[in-house]
Amino acid sequence: MCGIVGYLGPRDAAPILLAGLTRLEYRGYDSAGVAVQTESGLTLRKLAGRIGGLKIALGRDPVTGSCGIAHTRWATHGAPNERNAHPHVDCTGQIAVVHNGIIENADVLRTRLECCGHHFVTETDTETLAHLIEDADGPTLESRVIAALTHVEGTYGLAVIAAGEPDKIVVARRGSPVLLGVGEQEYFVASDASAVLEHTRSVVYLDDGDIAVLTRTGYHVIDREARVQTRPVNALDWDLEQIALGEYSHFMLKEICEQPRTLQETLRGRLLFADGTARLNGLNLTPEDCRTLGRIVIVACGTSWHAGLAGRHIIEALAGVPVQVEYASEFRYRQPVGMPGALTIAISQSGETADTLEALRAARAAGSKVIGVVNVVGSTIAREADGGIYLHAGPEIGVASTKAFTSQITALLLLGLYLARHRGLSLGDGRKMVEQLARLPDLAAEALQIEGEIKALAQSYVEERNALYLGRGINFPVALEGALKLKEISYIHAEGYPAAEMKHGPIALIDQDMPVIFLAPKDAVYPKVISNMQEVKARGGRIIAITSKGNGDLRGLVDHQLSVPPSPSLLSPVLTVIPLQLFAYHIAAMRGYDVDRPRNLAKSVTVE
Ligand code: M6R
């Protein structure tokens, strides 16, 4: 959701805050603002729209000062306009707050504060925080922030500055990520490491309940009782090149094209050729745990949930463990049964998705061991899980997830193999699987070679209003993912369905205006998928088939055939999704949309 940046040090704050916001714009982009400590007190600049507008405004009318906070917003409470943009201030304009999360009792607090004479000017929940801090008693800003937060229900990652204590930023976290960047006599606050990467690689991740106090001479972390907490300084392993666009027109295209390398990174050091298994050091499962595992529950959202569906096929086929895949948002409010003895896997690119995090906590509370399959190192899910697998796919900036999906499936293939080898898969079969996995990056590179063909095809479909994606078995999740990619960046209505389910309803939609994209790699259900294509053809539907090379020529049956390299069925989603990612990308780019920042979406959904 929203992005937060803060700076305190010897340099001019505004350019640093703006650069940080630009890095975070993928987290929210409906409005932005900064508050800087200047010689005349707090100075605010806010605007609706993208960071570019704020940069121009600050260029025309600069604010000078070396301590400040900033925010890029994804609206939850109140319209995305200038008034509702953060930072928000108290009645006196002496306290400024940026906030990520939701204050659930904001209405009650607002009524109470208004009765005490506070004057609200925005529709946001965040403004209550500024007034609560104004109202609180205490000798220091941090003591007043702590006092204010005792009234608050909900989630927050927040940063506060006050004119009365000009060389200080107070930061607090509950449920929304915040980290500190530690530089040479300068300190940063950010909701995401990419905002501080160009200044420092040393970061401190705050835990829920932490309050951090940054001054010119250092920082410290305390809890709500003002007891000092020790938090380690972590080294970031991302580099600046990974968050730069380079030669590409969009991050999404860059990230699609990066997949041979990111798959390599997910596999690096994890393939044990002689032992025919995977090395997964962080998993924290004993051989006994693997052998006695009764059930796996996967919790995730969006694209990560699709990866989980593919993971079910992989783990059940390889390791013979029953797998249940749950929308995290639904699972967290159920009464899960039979969790002791189960292993819960939370899959999340960001590691910060609120529903996935809460599902993980619910699973643990119900007695399950929990592991994470996560991309962002040091993220909350990664830290709260008992163990896990990092994707090492590097920062994913495009809001539409691409490289994380293929790395998630690859990580689940590694996990499936690892479990399987403890549960009776033979050494020979394990070695075969390791060999197959090792070839995956090259196969992905080959799959990318048809980009030109896909771009030409996208031209013919750019005006469509609907699309149906059909697949079976392990390629049904790919159909869901292909449809999600198209709808989220091109705003074309698209649905993914199990190919055979089409007959039970969606077939009524088929006519010449309904493009149908079939996932049809060579596997056990290929003949069945061909029959489903015939059913569509008979009703005048237009068909694009994603097949494997060597499947034969389907001309006569389909309108367009795109082929990816052949692979064992369990690996095929990593390859068959690539043409769908490119198809969605080119259609959205041809429509002139902001591919990396689609409307209404945010990269990391840190509110419910
Ligand atoms: O960071 P996560 O993997 O937990 O995010 C889950 C979803 O919000 C995410 O996959 C979303 O569906 C993307 N926009 C898909 O492209």
Side-chain angles (χ1 to χ4, degrees), residues 301-304 348-350 353 399-401 408 484-485 488 605:
C301 303
T303 289
S304 299
S348 174
Q349 187 286 129
S350 61
T353 300
V399 164
S401 185
Q408 284 165 341
L484 179 64
K485 290 291 85 88
E488 68 184 338
V605 184

Side-chain angles (χ1 to χ4, degrees), residues 230-311:
T230 308
R231 299 281 172 257
V233 179
N234 299 269
L236 290 175
D237 65 354
W238 290 357
D239 59 47
L240 270 179
E241 200 188 305
Q242 288 176 300
I243 55 172
L245 202 45
E247 71 202 61
Y248 293 94
S249 42
H250 295 98
F251 279 105
M252 181 179 177
L253 183 60
K254 179 182 184 225
E255 288 156 8
I256 293 171
C257 294
E258 265 174 6
Q259 288 176 107
R261 193 173 56 73
T262 51
L263 292 173
Q264 193 75 62
E265 292 304 322
T266 305
L267 293 170
R268 190 178 299 287
R270 288 171 166 166
L271 293 178
L272 300 179
F273 289 81
D275 296 336
T277 189
R279 180 192 284 122
L280 295 173
N281 288 341
L283 210 49
N284 205 7
L285 293 178
T286 64
E288 182 62 9
D289 289 337
C290 298
R291 271 193 296 275
T292 57
L293 204 51
R295 186 162 75 103
I296 289 178
V297 179
I298 294 179
V299 291
C301 303
T303 289
S304 299
W305 183 76
H306 298 157
L309 290 178

Side-chain angles (χ1 to χ4, degrees), residues 186-384:
E186 58 183 357
Y187 302 95
F188 304 85
V189 181
S191 47
D192 177 326
S194 55
V196 302
L197 195 56
E198 63 192 274
H199 307 291
T200 179
R201 279 164 191 284
S202 302
V203 297
V204 176
Y205 299 107
L206 297 186
D207 285 344
D208 276 353
D210 283 353
I211 314 286
V213 184
L214 285 64
T215 64
R216 293 200 181 272
T217 52
Y219 71 91
H220 61 277
V221 180
I222 52 177
D223 65 11
R224 293 283 197 83
E225 275 72 48
R227 289 177 299 228
V228 173
Q229 304 295 304
T230 308
R231 299 281 172 257
V233 179
N234 299 269
L236 290 175
D237 65 354
W238 290 357
D239 59 47
L240 270 179
E241 200 188 305
Q242 288 176 300
I243 55 172
L245 202 45
E247 71 202 61
Y248 293 94
S249 42
H250 295 98
F251 279 105
M252 181 179 177
L253 183 60
K254 179 182 184 225
E255 288 156 8
I256 293 171
C257 294
E258 265 174 6
Q259 288 176 107
R261 193 173 56 73
T262 51
L263 292 173
Q264 193 75 62
E265 292 304 322
T266 305
L267 293 170
R268 190 178 299 287
R270 288 171 166 166
L271 293 178
L272 300 179
F273 289 81
D275 296 336
T277 189
R279 180 192 284 122
L280 295 173
N281 288 341
L283 210 49
N284 205 7
L285 293 178
T286 64
E288 182 62 9
D289 289 337
C290 298
R291 271 193 296 275
T292 57
L293 204 51
R295 186 162 75 103
I296 289 178
V297 179
I298 294 179
V299 291
C301 303
T303 289
S304 299
W305 183 76
H306 298 157
L309 290 178
R312 171 166 67 194
H313 284 267
I314 292 165
I315 295 169
E316 288 186 345
L318 290 173
V321 187
V323 180
Q324 165 188 346
V325 187
E326 300 276 348
Y327 282 117
S329 52
E330 292 294 320
F331 180 83
R332 63 181 286 193
Y333 289 111
R334 288 228 310 274
Q335 300 292 325
V337 289
M339 294 305 280
L343 174 70
T344 299
I345 306 176
I347 306 178
S348 174
Q349 187 286 129
S350 61
E352 302 292 353
T353 300
D355 285 324
T356 310
L357 177 60
E358 288 306 325
L360 175 153
R361 289 174 178 160
R364 171 177 286 136
S368 173
K369 182 160 187 157
V370 292
I371 63 168
V373 173
V374 171
N375 193 32
V376 179
V377 175
S379 56
T380 311
I381 291 175
R383 285 183 294 136
E384 288 206 11

Side-chain angles (χ1 to χ4, degrees), residues 142-194:
E142 57 272 29
S143 58
R144 282 184 287 142
V145 169
I146 291 172
L149 291 177
T150 58
H151 302 284
V152 168
E153 288 165 20
T155 55
Y156 48 79
L158 59 92
V160 188
I161 55 176
E165 294 181 58
D167 293 326
K168 185 183 276 184
I169 304 178
V170 175
V171 182
R173 176 194 161 132
R174 183 166 79 196
S176 291
V178 199
L179 57 85
L180 311 181
V182 184
E184 287 289 322
Q185 290 169 357
E186 58 183 357
Y187 302 95
F188 304 85
V189 181
S191 47
D192 177 326
S194 55

Side-chain angles (χ1 to χ4, degrees), residues 377-439:
V377 175
S379 56
T380 311
I381 291 175
R383 285 183 294 136
E384 288 206 11
D386 301 318
I389 308 174
Y390 276 126
L391 303 181
H392 297 308
E396 190 178 66
I397 309 285
V399 164
S401 185
T402 52
K403 64 178 182 175
F405 179 71
T406 49
S407 282
Q408 284 165 341
I409 293 176
T410 304
L412 292 166
L413 283 159
L414 290 167
L415 177 64
L417 171 63
Y418 181 85
L419 293 175
R421 288 285 288 128
H422 285 99
R423 296 170 66 91
L425 186 79
S426 71
L427 176 62
D429 285 345
R431 283 181 176 160
K432 212 185 292 170
M433 174 98 196
V434 170
E435 300 284 347
Q436 290 163 353
L437 282 167
R439 283 198 292 276

